[in-house]
């Protein structure tokens, strides 16, 4: 009887173990199925690469962005190298131009290539690399904010130089200018920081096709970016350039001792004023044209209803700004253009110095040689006057 009870007990225990095993297998299978369903949902909600969904749009975008990143990367490096090699380029506010070139270089050499990869690889590629996406978003937004601040500082610098020249050397000392540039980076990161603490966040934007801050996460933060971080520099630059233009115009008028009823003199003064303010005006117009559409779209598209093409286009325009400044300098500033050409011919700062020294030595013994090498000496010593 005892043996029978023991046998029954063992059978029951074996049955219970079997039931437990079957239950565990059932739970595991259920969890596995749920994970598969969740993965399938995520896969279906992920946006396919733009190159697959809209090849013509992707092709145009990739061509433009590759051109922009090539021009921006090489161009901003040349701005930095020219400023380092040619003392004559280190004129009024050059430190702010260097700071702007550094910020633009971050965008053109890091963020722009990631935009091209996003169009070719799609959202899934970045979702598998969350740290990379987060890093690119932080760097891109911080660099853009720093570029805005650098442009604003450069505008204020030029305003004080033109309109309040007696105060210029007191305000814009070399040490203070460097401190302003460092502060610009700190402030730029401060305005990016809310995305790290929950006010906003970083994400792969399905419409602009890049890793960036989530414009739909917090409308208040989006307004700060649109109105404060883009609108405020725009307003400040507008005021500075209007006052600078007014000052140049009045100076030209006093120089010619204009008679108010002489239309020919008025026309001449206006023409010379426009010519003197051309570079400032072009830089200002470029900023307005490239960044205003982006600011308007992100502020207006509260419900994220606007089409992909619009978001992709305005974001691309904003990124182009990091590549355009070099083009503006090359086209509009003859002295900078000569300096870059001299640097490219020589290959390094040391070669530039050697070339200048050789030109000066040769010119001292031969007047004809002096005439043929005068342009090189001019570039080396008289740039940006």
């Amino acid at each position: 009887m005892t043996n029978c009870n023991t046998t029954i007990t063992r059978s029951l225990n074996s049955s219970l173990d079997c039931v437990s095993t079957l239950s565990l297998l059932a739970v595991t299978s259920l969890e596995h199925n749920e994970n598969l369903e969740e993965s399938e949902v995520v896969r279906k909600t992920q946006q396919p690469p733009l190159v697959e969904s809209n090849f013509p749009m992707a092709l145009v975008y990739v061509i433009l962005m590759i051109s922009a990143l090539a021009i921006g990367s090489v161009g901003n490096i040349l701005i930095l190298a020219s400023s380092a090699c040619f003392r004559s380029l280190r004129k009024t506010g050059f430190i702010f131009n260097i700071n702007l070139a550094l910020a633009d270089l971050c965008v053109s050499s890091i963020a722009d290539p990631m935009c091209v990869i996003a169009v070719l690889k799609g959202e899934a590629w970045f979702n598998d690399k969350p740290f990379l996406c987060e890093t690119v978003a932080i760097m891109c937004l911080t660099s853009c904010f720093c570029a805005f601040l650098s442009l604003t500082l450069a505008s204020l610098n030029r305003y004080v130089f033109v309109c309040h020249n007696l105060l210029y050397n007191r305000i814009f000392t070399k040490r203070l200018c460097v401190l302003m540039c460092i502060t610009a980076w700190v402030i730029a990161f401060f305005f990016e920081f809310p995305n790290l603490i929950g006010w906003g966040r970083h994400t792969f934007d399905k419409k602009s096709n890049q890793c960036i801050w989530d414009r739909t996460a917090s409308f208040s933060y989006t307004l700060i970016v649109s109105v404060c971080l883009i609108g405020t520099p725009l307003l400040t630059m507008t005021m500075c350039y209007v006052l600078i233009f007014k000052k140049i115009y009045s100076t030209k008028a006093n120089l010619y001792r204009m008679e108010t009823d002489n239309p020919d003199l008025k026309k001449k003064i206006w023409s010379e004023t426009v010519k003197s303010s051309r570079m400032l005006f072009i830089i200002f117009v470029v900023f307005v044209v490239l960044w205003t559409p982006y600011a308007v779209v992100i502020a207006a598209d509260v419900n994220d209803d606007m089409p992909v093409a619009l978001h992709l286009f305005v974001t691309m325009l904003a990124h182009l700004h990091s590549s355009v400044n070099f083009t503006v300098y090359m086209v509009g500033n003859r002295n900078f253009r000569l300096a870059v050409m001299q640097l490219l011919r020589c290959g390094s700062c040391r070669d530039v110095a050697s070339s200048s020294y050789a030109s000066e030595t040769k010119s001292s013994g031969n007047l004809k040689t002096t005439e043929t090498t005068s342009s090189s000496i001019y570039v080396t010593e008289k740039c940006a006057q």
Side-chain angles (χ1 to χ4, degrees):
M1 184 69 178
T2 303
N3 293 334
C4 184
N5 290 336
T6 302
T7 302
I8 293 173
T9 303
R10 288 177 180 177
S11 300
L12 289 174
N13 290 335
S14 299
S15 299
L16 290 174
D17 292 338
C18 184
V19 170
S20 299
T21 303
L22 290 174
S23 300
L24 181 61
L25 290 173
V27 170
T28 304
S29 178
L30 182 60
E31 291 178 350
H32 179 67
N33 290 334
E34 289 178 351
N35 291 333
L36 288 177
E37 291 177 359
E38 184 178 351
S39 300
E40 184 67 17
V41 170
V42 171
R43 187 186 67 79
K44 289 182 178 180
T45 57
Q46 286 180 343
Q47 181 172 284
L50 186 65
V51 71
E52 296 178 5
S53 60
N54 194 329
F55 180 77
M57 184 187 297
L59 179 62
V60 173
Y61 181 85
V62 168
I63 292 174
L64 291 176
M65 288 303 293
I66 289 178
S67 301
L69 71 89
I71 295 172
S73 299
V74 175
N76 286 300
I77 290 174
L78 287 174
I79 291 175
L80 297 175
S82 300
S83 300
C85 295
F86 295 90
R87 289 186 177 181
S88 52
L89 286 180
R90 303 171 197 170
K91 297 297 183 181
T92 306
F94 82 98
I95 293 180
F96 303 119
N97 292 333
I98 291 176
N99 206 44
L100 175 61
L102 286 172
D104 286 342
L105 185 61
C106 290
V107 176
S108 59
S109 62
I110 300 177
D112 287 355
M114 291 296 104
C115 291
V116 174
I117 292 175
V119 169
L120 299 177
K121 295 290 187 178
E123 180 183 3
W125 192 84
F126 283 96
N127 286 344
D128 292 336
K129 303 168 182 62
F131 179 77
L132 175 63
C133 192
E134 184 101 2
T135 302
V136 170
I138 293 172
M139 182 280 306
C140 182
L141 201 59
T142 301
S143 299
C144 288
F145 290 165
C146 185
F148 302 158
L149 294 173
S150 298
L151 281 170
T152 304
L153 289 172
S155 303
L156 291 170
N157 175 275
R158 179 58 62 177
Y159 164 72
V160 174
F161 182 80
V162 173
C163 300
H164 304 282
N165 191 261
L166 295 177
L167 299 176
Y168 182 82
N169 290 329
R170 299 182 191 176
I171 299 175
F172 291 99
T173 63
K174 183 177 180 180
R175 180 177 298 179
L176 188 56
C177 287
V178 172
L179 181 61
M180 289 179 184
C181 291
I182 295 174
T183 303
W185 282 100
V186 174
I187 293 175
F189 181 74
F190 173 79
F191 280 107
E192 151 63 23
F193 190 69
N195 292 304
L196 300 174
I197 58 175
W199 187 2
R201 67 189 183 97
H202 302 110
T203 187
F204 182 90
D205 193 300
K206 296 177 183 294
K207 291 192 173 179
S208 62
N209 277 265
Q210 63 176 303
C211 291
I212 198 171
W213 62 284
D214 190 349
R215 54 190 169 77
T216 63
S218 172
F219 182 67
S220 59
Y221 181 74
T222 300
L223 280 182
I224 287 178
V225 173
S226 177
V227 177
C228 297
L229 298 179
I230 301 178
T232 300
L234 181 61
L235 180 61
T236 303
M237 291 170 64
T238 302
M239 294 175 61
C240 288
Y241 291 148
V242 167
L243 293 173
I244 288 172
F245 190 89
K246 182 179 178 181
K247 177 68 175 181
I248 294 175
Y249 183 86
S250 63
T251 301
K252 294 287 184 181
N254 291 333
L255 180 64
Y256 285 104
R257 295 181 180 178
M258 179 187 73
E259 297 178 5
T260 55
D261 57 349
N262 189 334
D264 293 333
L265 276 177
K266 282 186 176 182
K267 184 177 180 180
K268 184 176 182 179
I269 292 170
W270 178 263
S271 176
E272 292 190 4
T273 302
V274 171
K275 185 178 180 180
S276 300
S277 310
R278 182 176 56 188
M279 278 297 298
L280 298 175
F281 181 72
I282 291 175
I283 292 173
F284 171 71
V285 169
V286 166
F287 182 81
V288 172
V289 170
L290 297 183
W291 275 105
T292 301
Y294 179 78
V296 172
V297 168
I298 64 173
D301 193 16
V302 179
N303 298 321
D304 197 23
D305 295 328
M306 293 184 179
V308 172
L310 179 61
H311 279 278
L312 193 70
F313 177 73
V314 298
T315 306
M316 182 185 67
L317 280 182
H319 276 256
L320 288 178
H321 185 259
S322 62
S323 305
V324 168
N325 286 327
F326 168 75
T327 307
V328 171
Y329 294 149
M330 284 294 291
V331 174
N333 191 322
R334 178 177 178 271
N335 295 324
F336 176 77
R337 183 167 61 251
L338 292 173
V340 170
M341 292 172 63
Q342 176 75 359
L343 181 62
L344 292 176
R345 284 197 299 268
C346 295
S348 69
C349 287
R350 181 178 298 178
D351 292 336
V352 168
S354 299
S355 176
S356 301
Y357 177 77
S359 299
E360 291 174 353
T361 303
K362 192 173 181 180
S363 66
S364 64
N366 191 316
L367 180 60
K368 185 176 180 179
T369 305
T370 301
E371 293 175 352
T372 60
T373 58
S374 59
S375 60
S376 176
I377 299 172
Y378 172 81
V379 169
T380 307
E381 297 184 350
K382 300 295 183 182
C383 289
Q385 287 187 354

